[in-house]
Protein backbone atom coordinates (compact mmCIF):
# COMPACT_ATOMS: atom_id res chain seq x y z
CA UNK A 1 0.00 0.00 0.00
CA UNK A 2 1.01 3.63 -0.37
CA UNK A 3 -0.01 6.88 -2.03
CA UNK A 4 0.31 7.22 -5.81
CA UNK A 5 4.00 7.68 -6.62
CA UNK A 6 5.25 6.04 -3.41
CA UNK A 7 6.94 3.40 -5.56
CA UNK A 8 4.45 0.51 -5.25
CA UNK A 9 4.81 -0.60 -8.88
CA UNK A 10 8.60 -0.31 -8.96
CA UNK A 11 9.05 -2.12 -5.65
CA UNK A 12 6.48 -4.81 -6.43
CA UNK A 13 8.31 -5.70 -9.66
CA UNK A 14 11.62 -5.99 -7.80
CA UNK A 15 10.13 -8.01 -4.96
CA UNK A 16 8.44 -10.57 -7.19
CA UNK A 17 11.83 -11.08 -8.87
CA UNK A 18 13.50 -11.57 -5.49
CA UNK A 19 10.80 -13.65 -3.78
CA UNK A 20 9.10 -15.35 -6.76
CA UNK A 21 5.43 -14.76 -5.93
CA UNK A 22 2.82 -13.80 -8.54
CA UNK A 23 2.17 -10.04 -8.94
CA UNK A 24 -1.39 -8.68 -9.14
CA UNK A 25 -1.68 -4.93 -9.71
CA UNK A 26 -5.27 -3.67 -9.71
CA UNK A 27 -4.21 -0.57 -11.69
CA UNK A 28 -2.53 -2.75 -14.37
CA UNK A 29 -5.57 -5.03 -14.54
CA UNK A 30 -7.88 -2.00 -15.00
CA UNK A 31 -5.58 -0.46 -17.63
CA UNK A 32 -5.58 -3.75 -19.58
CA UNK A 33 -9.40 -3.80 -19.42
CA UNK A 34 -9.45 -0.22 -20.79
CA UNK A 35 -7.05 -1.12 -23.57
CA UNK A 36 -9.36 -3.98 -24.62
CA UNK A 37 -12.02 -1.39 -25.48
CA UNK A 38 -14.76 -3.20 -23.49
CA UNK A 39 -17.78 -1.46 -21.95
CA UNK A 40 -16.37 -2.32 -18.50
CA UNK A 41 -13.05 -0.72 -19.50
CA UNK A 42 -14.85 2.47 -20.51
CA UNK A 43 -16.59 2.59 -17.17
CA UNK A 44 -13.29 2.18 -15.30
CA UNK A 45 -11.65 4.90 -17.42
CA UNK A 46 -14.14 7.52 -16.25
CA UNK A 47 -13.12 7.07 -12.59
CA UNK A 48 -9.41 6.63 -13.28
CA UNK A 49 -9.02 9.74 -15.42
CA UNK A 50 -10.79 11.81 -12.75
CA UNK A 51 -8.35 10.51 -10.11
CA UNK A 52 -11.22 8.85 -8.22
CA UNK A 53 -11.39 5.35 -6.84
CA UNK A 54 -13.37 2.81 -8.85
CA UNK A 55 -16.50 1.79 -6.82
CA UNK A 56 -15.98 -1.11 -4.40
CA UNK A 57 -18.51 -3.51 -6.02
CA UNK A 58 -16.66 -3.34 -9.35
CA UNK A 59 -13.19 -3.61 -7.78
CA UNK A 60 -14.11 -6.52 -5.52
CA UNK A 61 -15.68 -8.47 -8.39
CA UNK A 62 -12.70 -8.01 -10.70
CA UNK A 63 -10.04 -8.58 -8.02
CA UNK A 64 -11.75 -11.59 -6.40
CA UNK A 65 -11.59 -13.33 -9.75
CA UNK A 66 -7.95 -12.29 -10.32
CA UNK A 67 -6.95 -13.57 -6.85
CA UNK A 68 -8.76 -16.86 -7.44
CA UNK A 69 -7.16 -17.32 -10.87
CA UNK A 70 -3.68 -16.76 -9.38
CA UNK A 71 -4.00 -18.88 -6.27
CA UNK A 72 -0.78 -20.79 -6.96
CA UNK A 73 1.80 -22.30 -4.59
CA UNK A 74 4.18 -19.30 -4.78
CA UNK A 75 1.75 -16.91 -3.11
CA UNK A 76 0.63 -13.47 -4.22
CA UNK A 77 1.82 -9.90 -4.03
CA UNK A 78 -1.19 -7.58 -4.20
CA UNK A 79 -0.32 -4.10 -5.46
CA UNK A 80 -2.91 -1.31 -5.24
CA UNK A 81 -5.61 -3.53 -3.74
CA UNK A 82 -7.29 -3.27 -1.24
CA UNK A 83 -7.70 0.52 -1.21
CA UNK A 84 -10.79 0.88 1.01
CA UNK A 85 -11.89 -0.79 4.25
CA UNK A 86 -14.79 -2.47 2.37
CA UNK A 87 -12.31 -3.97 -0.11
CA UNK A 88 -10.07 -5.15 2.75
CA UNK A 89 -13.05 -6.85 4.41
CA UNK A 90 -14.01 -8.59 1.16
CA UNK A 91 -10.42 -9.76 0.67
CA UNK A 92 -10.26 -11.05 4.26
CA UNK A 93 -13.40 -13.11 3.70
CA UNK A 94 -12.08 -14.54 0.45
CA UNK A 95 -8.70 -15.43 2.00
CA UNK A 96 -10.36 -16.99 5.05
CA UNK A 97 -12.61 -19.21 2.94
CA UNK A 98 -9.63 -20.21 0.75
CA UNK A 99 -7.61 -20.84 3.97
CA UNK A 100 -4.82 -18.56 2.75
CA UNK A 101 -3.10 -16.33 5.34
CA UNK A 102 -2.15 -12.71 4.76
CA UNK A 103 1.54 -12.65 5.77
CA UNK A 104 2.33 -8.97 5.64
CA UNK A 105 0.99 -5.56 4.72
CA UNK A 106 3.73 -3.29 3.39
CA UNK A 107 2.93 0.42 3.61
CA UNK A 108 5.27 2.71 1.66
CA UNK A 109 4.92 6.25 3.03
CA UNK A 110 5.88 9.26 0.92
CA UNK A 111 5.39 13.02 1.22
CA UNK A 112 3.13 14.94 -1.18
CA UNK A 113 5.99 17.00 -2.69
CA UNK A 114 8.06 13.90 -3.48
CA UNK A 115 5.05 12.09 -4.92
CA UNK A 116 4.05 14.92 -7.28
CA UNK A 117 7.60 15.27 -8.62
CA UNK A 118 7.91 11.54 -9.14
CA UNK A 119 4.58 11.06 -10.87
CA UNK A 120 4.77 13.93 -13.32
CA UNK A 121 8.17 12.62 -14.56
CA UNK A 122 6.98 9.03 -14.78
CA UNK A 123 6.97 7.20 -18.14
CA UNK A 124 6.66 3.55 -19.11
CA UNK A 125 7.24 1.29 -22.07
CA UNK A 126 3.95 0.37 -23.78
CA UNK A 127 5.62 -2.85 -24.99
CA UNK A 128 7.21 -4.43 -21.86
CA UNK A 129 5.88 -2.22 -19.03
CA UNK A 130 9.35 -1.17 -17.79
CA UNK A 131 9.11 2.00 -15.67
CA UNK A 132 11.29 5.10 -16.06
CA UNK A 133 11.56 8.59 -14.57
CA UNK A 134 12.80 11.36 -16.85
CA UNK A 135 15.00 12.80 -14.04
CA UNK A 136 15.73 9.94 -11.63
CA UNK A 137 15.75 6.84 -13.87
CA UNK A 138 15.95 8.13 -17.45
CA UNK A 139 16.28 5.80 -20.43
CA UNK A 140 19.76 5.67 -21.99
CA UNK A 141 18.52 7.13 -25.26
CA UNK A 142 16.20 10.16 -25.19
CA UNK A 143 12.69 8.81 -24.57
CA UNK A 144 12.67 5.26 -25.91
CA UNK A 145 12.70 2.00 -23.94
CA UNK A 146 16.23 0.62 -23.32
CA UNK A 147 15.03 -2.92 -24.06
CA UNK A 148 12.38 -2.51 -26.79
CA UNK A 149 13.39 0.72 -28.55
CA UNK A 150 9.77 1.96 -28.66
CA UNK A 151 8.69 5.46 -27.54
CA UNK A 152 7.84 5.71 -23.82
CA UNK A 153 4.33 6.85 -22.86
CA UNK A 154 2.82 8.78 -19.93
CA UNK A 155 -0.29 7.57 -18.08
CA UNK A 156 -3.36 9.72 -18.66
CA UNK A 157 -3.82 10.13 -14.89
CA UNK A 158 -0.22 11.23 -14.22
CA UNK A 159 -0.86 14.97 -14.64
CA UNK A 160 -0.47 17.24 -11.58
CA UNK A 161 -4.21 18.00 -11.19
CA UNK A 162 -5.21 14.34 -11.30
CA UNK A 163 -2.35 13.41 -8.95
CA UNK A 164 -3.65 15.88 -6.33
CA UNK A 165 -7.08 14.26 -6.62
CA UNK A 166 -5.58 10.76 -6.29
CA UNK A 167 -3.65 11.88 -3.20
CA UNK A 168 -6.86 13.18 -1.61
CA UNK A 169 -8.57 9.85 -2.35
CA UNK A 170 -5.63 8.04 -0.74
CA UNK A 171 -5.74 10.14 2.44
CA UNK A 172 -9.52 9.84 2.82
CA UNK A 173 -10.25 6.30 1.68
CA UNK A 174 -7.02 4.28 1.82
CA UNK A 175 -5.24 5.54 4.98
CA UNK A 176 -8.03 3.99 7.12
CA UNK A 177 -7.11 0.58 5.66
CA UNK A 178 -3.72 0.82 7.43
CA UNK A 179 -5.53 1.26 10.76
CA UNK A 180 -7.86 -1.59 9.84
CA UNK A 181 -4.89 -3.96 9.47
CA UNK A 182 -3.19 -2.54 12.58
CA UNK A 183 -6.33 -3.26 14.60
CA UNK A 184 -6.80 -6.75 13.16
CA UNK A 185 -3.19 -7.57 14.01
CA UNK A 186 -3.18 -10.78 11.98
CA UNK A 187 -0.68 -9.74 9.33
CA UNK A 188 2.68 -8.13 10.02
CA UNK A 189 2.37 -4.37 9.35
CA UNK A 190 5.58 -3.10 7.75
CA UNK A 191 5.93 0.68 7.38
CA UNK A 192 8.64 1.94 5.05
CA UNK A 193 10.02 5.43 4.29
CA UNK A 194 9.27 5.81 0.57
CA UNK A 195 10.94 9.23 0.27
CA UNK A 196 14.27 7.38 0.10
CA UNK A 197 15.91 6.29 -3.17
CA UNK A 198 14.39 3.18 -4.84
CA UNK A 199 17.37 0.91 -3.98
CA UNK A 200 17.22 1.89 -0.30
CA UNK A 201 13.45 1.29 -0.23
CA UNK A 202 13.96 -2.17 -1.81
CA UNK A 203 16.58 -2.99 0.82
CA UNK A 204 14.32 -1.88 3.67
CA UNK A 205 11.35 -3.92 2.42
CA UNK A 206 13.47 -7.00 1.70
CA UNK A 207 15.03 -6.87 5.18
CA UNK A 208 11.60 -6.54 6.80
CA UNK A 209 10.14 -9.44 4.77
CA UNK A 210 13.14 -11.63 5.57
CA UNK A 211 12.53 -10.90 9.25
CA UNK A 212 8.91 -12.03 9.20
CA UNK A 213 8.20 -14.42 12.07
CA UNK A 214 8.60 -18.05 11.03
CA UNK A 215 5.47 -20.14 10.66
CA UNK A 216 3.35 -17.51 8.97
P1 LIG B 1 -2.69 2.67 -9.72
O1 LIG B 1 -2.05 2.18 -10.97
O2 LIG B 1 -2.60 1.68 -8.59
O3 LIG B 1 -2.22 4.04 -9.32
O4 LIG B 1 -4.27 2.81 -10.04
C1 LIG B 1 -4.72 3.71 -11.04
C2 LIG B 1 -6.19 4.04 -10.82
O5 LIG B 1 -6.98 2.85 -10.91
C3 LIG B 1 -6.52 4.64 -9.46
O6 LIG B 1 -6.33 6.04 -9.41
C4 LIG B 1 -8.00 4.27 -9.35
O7 LIG B 1 -8.82 5.10 -10.15
C5 LIG B 1 -8.04 2.88 -9.98
N1 LIG B 1 -7.79 1.81 -8.96
C6 LIG B 1 -6.74 0.93 -8.92
N2 LIG B 1 -6.87 0.08 -7.88
C7 LIG B 1 -8.02 0.42 -7.25
C8 LIG B 1 -8.71 -0.08 -6.10
N3 LIG B 1 -8.21 -1.11 -5.38
N4 LIG B 1 -9.87 0.53 -5.74
C9 LIG B 1 -10.39 1.56 -6.45
N5 LIG B 1 -9.80 2.08 -7.54
C10 LIG B 1 -8.63 1.52 -7.94
Amino acid sequence: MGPPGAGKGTQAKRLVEAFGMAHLSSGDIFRAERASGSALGEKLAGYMDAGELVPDELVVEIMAKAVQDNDGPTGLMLDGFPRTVAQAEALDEQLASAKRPLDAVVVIRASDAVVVERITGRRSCPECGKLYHMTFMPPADDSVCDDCGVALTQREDDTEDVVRQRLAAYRQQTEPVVDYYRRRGEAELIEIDGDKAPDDVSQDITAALNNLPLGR
Side-chain angles (χ1 to χ4, degrees):
M1 296 179 55
K8 296 189 298 291
T10 299
Q11 298 300 334
K13 284 199 176 81
R14 292 178 180 203
L15 290 169
V16 295
E17 267 172 34
F19 288 91
M21 70 286 255
H23 176 199
L24 272 191
S25 153
S26 49
D28 285 351
I29 291 172
F30 297 170
R31 279 183 285 281
E33 190 66 46
R34 288 180 68 158
S36 79
S38 70
L40 173 60
E42 235 172 77
K43 207 166 170 183
L44 297 172
Y47 297 104
M48 294 169 81
D49 291 348
E52 290 169 13
L53 291 189
V54 173
D56 287 334
E57 314 80 70
L58 270 181
V59 175
V60 168
E61 191 183 330
I62 298 171
M63 294 308 293
K65 183 166 185 315
V67 168
Q68 199 177 13
D69 290 349
N70 287 277
D71 183 20
T74 55
L76 265 181
M77 152 94 59
L78 296 170
D79 161 10
F81 170 81
R83 252 176 163 99
T84 65
V85 171
Q87 292 177 21
E89 286 169 348
L91 176 66
D92 267 350
E93 271 176 36
Q94 182 177 7
L95 293 180
S97 65
K99 298 203 165 44
R100 300 287 257 168
L102 189 63
D103 296 312
V105 176
V106 180
V107 183
I108 308 179
R109 302 213 174 267
S111 56
D112 288 8
V114 167
V115 154
V116 171
E117 188 182 21
R118 277 188 191 158
I119 291 197
T120 48
R122 183 156 79 172
R123 303 290 183 279
S124 69
C125 173
E127 201 73 25
C128 69
K130 187 166 174 181
L131 297 171
Y132 295 87
H133 190 285
M134 299 316 281
T135 312
F136 307 131
M137 274 194 288
D141 184 12
D142 201 14
S143 54
V144 300
C145 178
D146 293 344
D147 300 334
C148 312
V150 300
L152 301 179
T153 53
Q154 183 177 28
R155 277 172 45 172
E156 304 216 18
D157 58 348
D158 275 355
T159 60
E160 183 160 351
D161 280 355
V162 180
V163 170
R164 300 246 174 238
Q165 183 56 44
R166 288 161 63 201
L167 270 172
Y170 181 80
R171 304 278 175 238
Q172 280 163 22
Q173 292 163 278
T174 309
E175 277 286 350
V177 182
V178 180
D179 289 330
Y180 170 84
Y181 284 122
R182 187 175 285 119
R183 273 200 312 276
R184 299 252 314 158
E186 281 173 16
E188 201 72 17
L189 189 64
I190 297 169
E191 296 183 80
I192 298 288
D193 177 2
D195 281 354
K196 291 187 184 174
D199 286 350
D200 296 329
V201 175
S202 302
Q203 260 177 23
D204 291 350
I205 300 176
T206 304
L209 290 178
N210 280 331
N211 276 333
L212 281 182
L214 290 174
R216 275 195 181 266

